[in-house]
Amino acid sequence: MPAVTVENPLTLPRVAAPADAVARPVLAVTTAPSGFEGEGFPVRRAFAGINYKYLDPFIMMDQMGEVEYAPGEPKGTPWHPHRGFETVTYIIDGIFDHQDSNGGGGTITNGDTQWMTAGSGLLHIEAPPESLVMSGGLFHGLQLWVNLPARDKMMAPRYQDIRGGNVQLLTTPDGGALLRVIAGELDGHQGPGITHTPITMIHATLAPGAELTLPWREDFNGLAYVLAGRGAVGAERRPIELGQTAVFGAGSALTVRADEKQDSHTPDLEVVLLGGQPIREPMAHYGPFVMNTREELQQAFEDFQKGRLGTIPAVHGMTEGGL
């Protein structure tokens, strides 16, 4: 980790917050509980225990792995429905196949991102390819759910395949951090992901002892989740490590620092930085559906049960009734 990197970060555009930027304080640091998803792959629930008012427009995020599978062990998810939001799957190491009932999908690997706008609804499957199941191997990634405003919840579904080589690469003034802008904008530099809800998603790698202070939109919230390593967040240098999320308060700059000493397995601090413009609408969330009201949730379940979210392609040798 990570797959997308450069030999000399100092060849990249450099970003830093202006001297008069207002530092965002750290409101909380939470530790993600571990669990299992789909057919049994391990996850950390990054946002567990965080009040939704600090997450909005983000709903949930799972760190999938990091796990070294033995032959026959790799797992995915069975066919399942979604409506009313977007799923973002970012593969750091390994490979995942995606398919949906609309004919969308593809294979993502080593730094690729698949951005699926579920909108009005579809059926969806995520699974390792047969070759990985046979061989085993390293698997590590993220899945993030991004809410849609009421006006967009019933839009037509859409896929974006964002290849690792297309992300916007940036660095800090001293070259101590590599920033991968997957979606949104940072200091005028635009990532490739097209979003309905204004957000910024960045995967940053900080060398031991490196610090970044980035300009951050004041109308966005601010979150930092540690994928690997140890460091500190905020001007107050609050400690943070693998599996922890920092929630930032108001301000126009966000600071993260890597500890001088990291372990041999994770030589750098790896952190995902998220910011988004809160939707501030009522949210009704249950299972794979994220709507505005309980009645809309009930309608989503009814539509799914009656086959209105699509059918599983015949190539899989089963029908929706087999779910």
Side-chain angles (χ1 to χ4, degrees):
M1 180 173 72
V4 180
T5 189
V6 294
E7 194 166 315
N8 181 10
L10 288 173
T11 61
L12 301 172
R14 305 178 198 187
V15 296
D20 61 352
V22 178
R24 285 178 173 249
V26 178
L27 302 181
V29 173
T30 63
T31 300
S34 297
F36 293 91
E37 187 56 78
E39 297 170 334
F41 57 85
V43 297
R44 287 186 175 93
R45 308 285 191 193
F47 295 162
I50 301 174
N51 189 309
Y52 181 65
K53 71 179 181 180
Y54 299 118
L55 298 176
D56 185 11
F58 307 109
I59 301 163
M60 58 144 275
M61 186 168 72
D62 284 346
Q63 181 181 8
M64 306 180 292
E66 182 178 0
V67 59
E68 185 76 42
Y69 283 121
E73 285 187 344
K75 299 174 176 67
T77 68
W79 283 94
H80 57 283
H82 286 308
R83 172 181 279 181
F85 64 103
E86 299 183 290
T87 67
V88 182
T89 306
Y90 174 48
I91 299 299
I92 300 165
D93 291 296
I95 186 168
F96 232 24
D97 286 339
H98 293 251
Q99 189 178 3
D100 77 11
S101 53
N102 278 1
T107 298
I108 54 174
T109 183
N110 296 347
D112 295 340
T113 302
Q114 185 227 46
W115 204 292
M116 185 183 81
T117 304
S120 60
L122 42 61
L123 304 180
H124 176 61
I125 189 172
E126 302 158 300
E130 187 63 27
S131 59
L132 180 63
V133 175
M134 297 296 291
S135 66
L138 182 62
F139 181 75
H140 189 199
L142 282 178
Q143 185 165 97
L144 171 70
W145 289 12
V146 185
N147 202 3
L148 288 170
R151 66 178 182 273
D152 293 329
K153 283 194 177 294
M154 297 299 287
M155 67 176 293
R158 182 185 69 180
Y159 264 99
Q160 296 176 73
D161 279 318
I162 302 169
R163 296 300 157 184
N166 292 333
V167 301
Q168 174 69 63
L169 299 180
L170 306 169
T171 191
T172 47
D174 63 359
L178 175 62
L179 309 173
R180 304 165 193 82
V181 184
I182 297 168
E185 175 266 344
L186 180 66
D187 199 29
H189 301 278
Q190 190 73 37
I194 300 169
T195 70
H196 293 280
T197 304
I199 73 164
T200 295
M201 180 180 182
I202 297 167
H203 173 194
T205 300
L206 285 77
E211 181 172 293
L212 59 80
T213 298
L214 301 178
W216 211 251
R217 278 181 52 169
E218 293 188 63
D219 60 337
F220 277 20
N221 60 1
L223 301 161
Y225 176 75
V226 177
L227 293 164
R230 295 186 304 273
V233 285
E236 59 269 48
R237 293 195 176 183
R238 187 157 173 181
I240 193 168
E241 62 183 16
L242 167 64
Q244 292 188 319
T245 302
V247 179
F248 290 90
S252 57
L254 182 153
T255 297
V256 179
R257 187 180 189 279
D259 283 358
E260 296 280 355
K261 293 185 178 180
Q262 305 286 340
D263 61 46
S264 58
H265 176 62
T266 54
D268 301 312
L269 174 65
E270 305 284 350
V271 61
V272 174
L273 304 174
L274 295 169
Q277 191 173 67
I279 296 173
R280 295 192 177 98
E281 293 177 350
M283 184 178 71
H285 172 204
Y286 190 85
F289 305 123
V290 183
M291 305 303 292
N292 292 103
T293 67
R294 183 178 179 83
E295 291 73 26
E296 289 170 344
L297 273 185
Q298 291 171 334
Q299 185 64 54
F301 276 103
E302 180 181 329
D303 289 348
F304 168 56
Q305 290 164 353
K306 293 187 175 180
R308 295 172 185 149
L309 300 191
T311 57
I312 295 171
V315 68
H316 286 266
M318 58 186 293
T319 65
E320 189 179 347
L323 282 173

